[in-house]
Every structure is written in C-alpha cells, then in structure tokens.
Amino acid sequence: MSSRTLPLLFINLGGEMLYILDQRLRAQNIPADKAKKVMNDIITTMFNKKFLEELFKPQELYSKKALRTVFDRLAHASIMRLNQASMDKLYDLMTMAFKYQVLLCPRAKDILLVSFNHMDAIKDFVKDTPSVLSQVDETYRQLIEMYTPLSSGEFQLIRQTLLIFFQDMHIRVSIFLKDKVQNSNGRFVLPISGPVPHGTHIPGLIRMFSCNGEEVKRLQFRNGGNYTGVLREGSFEMFGERVIKLGTNMYSVSRPVETHMSGTSKNSAQKKSVNTAPNPLAKEELNMLARLMGGMEVQKPGNADSVLLCYEHCFNQQANAELVKIMGDFTEEAGEPCSSSANSKGDDLLAMMDGL
C-alpha cells in the first residue's frame, strides 16, 4: 500500500464531483451568480490550506465510509443542498468514473496526468476568482513537487493501492454498459487495441540476447489486438498538453444514464470531453443528469448556516476517528479543548469543516 495515494484520490474524485455539479447547475438554469458561488465555495473548501497540509502527509488511505463523509461535507459546503438519494448517486458516479480512468491509464504514471486534467478544469472553474485560483495553483505546485520525482515502481504501487480501494465497487453504469466497456456484473472490460503506452513498442516481437548482450534471435507472434504506435508523452508541468483525455470533463453532450448496484436502481453520469472534442462515452447524458440530481436545491444565502444538519446522524465513530487524521489539528488551533471521545472529536471536526 502506498502512503502517497490519498491526495490523488481526493483530487480526482473531487474533480469528478465538480464536473457533475457544474453541469447540473447549468441544466437547471440556476442564475450565473449563484452557480458561480456554489462552485467557488466548494473549491475554496476543497483547497483549504490547512486541510491540504494534513491530506498531503504520508498516510494510509481512509476507509470508504470516512472518505464518503468528507465528500458529503464538501458537496454541501455552499448554499446548494442535495438529498440523500442524490448524494448516493453522485458518489457512485464519481467513484466508478475514476476507477475506470485508473484502469485505462496506459502507464501507472499517467494517473498523474489524469489528476492534472482534473486540476486544469478546476482552475478554469475559478479563473475569475484570483483568491481561489491561488489556492488551486499552490496545490498544483505541491502535486508536481511530490509526484513528478517518483519512480515507475512507486506509481505502480499507487495504482495498486487505488485499485484495491475500488475492487469491491461494481456499480453498473449504463454509459459503460451501452459502450460494452462494462459487463452486467459491473466489472470493466479492458481494451486490447489502441495506442501502446509511451516508451513501449507494439507487441508482436520477442528478441533473445546472449550473455554478453548481443541480440542473437528474433521471434514474431500474433498479438491478438489492433495496436497503434505510441502517442507522445503528456506534459507533467503546470501548463502543457496532457495528451490523454482521461480525467477531462465529459458532461457536454446529453445522454441518459443509470447506475445499478445489487438490484437497486441508481441514476448516474460519467465524465466529459476536452473543449469541443467529446469523448465517445458522452453523448446523451443531460437527460440522465436531470434524473440523477433531481433532489438538488440551491437555497438563498441566508439559509447557508443550516449546512448539512440532516447528515449528522450518518457519521459513526469509525468515520469520525479517521476524519481526525485529515483535519486533526483544526480544533486545537481554534483553541477548543480536545475530547477523548471519538464522537465529540468528530463533531468538532465536522463543525470545523462547515466553517471553512
């Protein structure tokens, strides 16, 4: 298990959440000023300096329940409200979309390019709000500083850690089912065609070498796929072309989508495309989004103090204890006494997150 996985998991899931919320705000014709406030408030909370300082510390991944608790809070960090069913569907879509992206990464290192695609889109959301943009830029610099020096082996460990986290999640998404990239049991079908990863060759040749390093024999074999030449490598700088489209926003064209888990019907959506070049998976999802988040409500600013009161009962001791790891120093810095009770300490943390 890699101790460097949590920031990437948080950034990518957060990016998927923002794509969905942005599209839904547009679909519901929410006034531009209110929609902008919703996005800015969520991104401001997501990139809070002290929160990210804790997030970037080397540590094990949190439980699924604890991470879900964080995103429940994050989704309601503004004047927007989601009912429980809509939040369930939103989180299902976020996780399955990122799981699919991790599986499709040509190289383990490309998970960082997926993260940068999400970060590029988040920067675009707040491009007109300098104070929030500076928070996002600082996180970008942290990502580059922490992850670009890592070896291929370290990225492979990060990828394995993510896949272990996602391995029991088999929510069926109609986008994937219709494109035949997901089976009826919720498991993904990986392609055996397309461009090979950067730094590799098209499979089909075995070369044999002598003990002194000289090539002595070649054997060819049928690779069973339809592979093409390698793409150029994407940029790992703050500004540059990422080349791969995984992690870009696919919510630009309408497409009805549903997710299903253990026989329970769940509506959902997927990702989006870069600029005006839609990803093939996104064709009809506006209709789905209208169903996915029908419980969303944007309240008047005066009601913002009531954030998430209806969710308090959802956070058990385990989730609260793990949230302490994320934001453990908040209550002490605020001058509040630390309680030995996991419940009371978790309540303090949730209240602090509300105040970000």
Side-chain angles (χ1 to χ4, degrees):
M1 300 285 284
S2 173
S3 62
R4 299 176 183 267
T5 306
L6 184 59
L8 295 181
L9 180 61
F10 179 77
I11 293 296
N12 285 285
L13 287 180
E16 289 299 319
M17 180 184 71
L18 291 168
Y19 290 161
I20 300 167
L21 295 180
D22 174 67
Q23 185 58 41
R24 187 56 196 145
L25 289 166
R26 294 174 184 271
Q28 286 195 339
N29 295 317
I30 301 298
D33 59 334
K34 286 190 175 182
K36 183 177 180 180
K37 177 174 175 52
V38 167
M39 298 299 287
N40 283 351
D41 286 350
I42 293 175
I43 294 172
T44 298
T45 303
M46 182 176 173
F47 290 92
N48 175 270
K49 182 178 180 180
K50 292 187 180 296
F51 179 82
L52 288 174
E53 283 176 359
E54 292 299 319
L55 197 73
F56 272 84
K57 291 179 179 178
Q59 56 195 296
E60 296 301 317
L61 280 186
Y62 304 124
S63 68
K64 294 179 179 66
K65 185 172 293 186
L67 195 65
R68 166 61 190 267
T69 299
V70 172
F71 280 101
D72 276 350
R73 286 299 195 188
L74 190 59
H76 293 82
S78 71
I79 58 176
M80 180 188 66
R81 299 293 174 271
L82 298 176
N83 63 33
Q84 187 66 55
S86 292
M87 188 64 215
D88 289 344
K89 296 164 188 174
L90 171 62
Y91 191 73
D92 286 347
L93 176 59
M94 290 160 48
T95 53
M96 292 304 289
F98 184 45
K99 177 181 180 178
Y100 185 62
Q101 293 161 15
V102 173
L103 285 169
L104 259 63
C105 278
R107 306 172 300 170
K109 185 178 182 179
D110 291 333
I111 292 173
L112 190 54
L113 293 177
V114 174
S115 306
F116 287 174
N117 275 335
H118 282 117
M119 289 293 291
D120 291 341
I122 293 170
K123 286 185 64 174
D124 191 59
F125 285 139
V126 295
K127 61 184 178 182
D128 297 324
T129 312
S131 60
V132 185
L133 182 59
S134 65
Q135 292 178 244
V136 179
D137 282 340
E138 177 57 31
T139 303
Y140 223 136
R141 285 187 283 270
Q142 287 181 275
L143 287 171
I144 292 171
E145 180 180 347
M146 175 179 286
Y147 291 102
T148 54
L150 298 186
S151 66
S152 297
E154 289 172 305
F155 274 111
Q156 184 60 35
L157 187 57
I158 289 173
R159 183 176 184 270
Q160 286 181 308
T161 304
L162 288 169
L163 292 177
I164 290 171
F165 180 83
F166 288 128
Q167 67 179 349
D168 296 324
M169 299 181 183
H170 305 297
I171 303 160
R172 290 175 292 158
V173 181
S174 65
I175 277 180
F176 298 141
L177 293 169
K178 290 175 182 177
D179 289 308
K180 302 186 186 303
V181 298
Q182 189 181 34
N183 292 324
S184 59
N185 61 4
R187 298 181 183 275
F188 288 114
V189 179
L190 300 184
I192 55 171
S193 301
V196 297
H198 179 79
T200 63
H201 300 282
I202 295 176
L205 177 66
I206 300 174
R207 297 190 297 167
M208 301 181 185
F209 295 84
S210 66
C211 56
N212 59 7
E214 294 181 358
E215 184 178 333
V216 295
K217 189 177 181 180
R218 290 191 173 196
L219 295 175
Q220 291 186 327
F221 65 92
R222 184 170 296 179
N223 58 37
N226 184 24
Y227 298 100
T228 59
V230 63
L231 297 173
R232 66 187 186 283
E233 186 173 31
S235 172
F236 288 90
E237 302 295 330
M238 185 178 293
F239 302 98
E241 187 177 354
R242 311 305 174 192
V243 178
I244 69 172
K245 305 306 180 186
L246 298 171
T248 56
N249 191 337
M250 291 176 58
Y251 298 111
S252 59
V253 188
S254 64
R255 175 181 201 161
V257 179
E258 292 182 353
T259 61
H260 307 276
M261 185 175 182
S262 301
T264 302
S265 179
K266 302 187 176 189
N267 300 330
S268 86
Q270 232 280 70
K271 308 170 270 176
K272 158 185 151 190
S273 80
V274 158
N275 297 329
T276 57
N279 186 295
L281 289 180
K283 299 173 183 176
E284 308 166 356
E285 80 214 46
L286 281 179
N287 291 339
M288 176 281 305
L289 283 169
R291 298 166 58 191
L292 167 68
M293 299 179 64
M296 187 175 77
E297 175 186 358
V298 176
Q299 300 181 347
K300 296 180 179 179
N303 294 331
D305 291 338
S306 62
V307 175
L308 287 180
L309 294 179
C310 61
Y311 283 88
E312 293 297 338
H313 67 281
C314 297
F315 310 120
N316 63 13
Q317 291 186 4
Q318 178 185 4
N320 289 335
E322 298 198 51
L323 281 171
V324 170
K325 298 177 185 178
I326 303 177
M327 303 169 67
D329 62 341
F330 275 25
T331 55
E332 293 182 16
E333 291 185 1
E336 297 178 7
C338 292
S339 168
S340 59
S341 165
N343 267 333
S344 60
K345 194 167 187 179
D347 289 342
D348 289 341
L349 288 169
L350 295 174
M352 179 62 69
M353 195 167 186
D354 284 343
L356 291 181

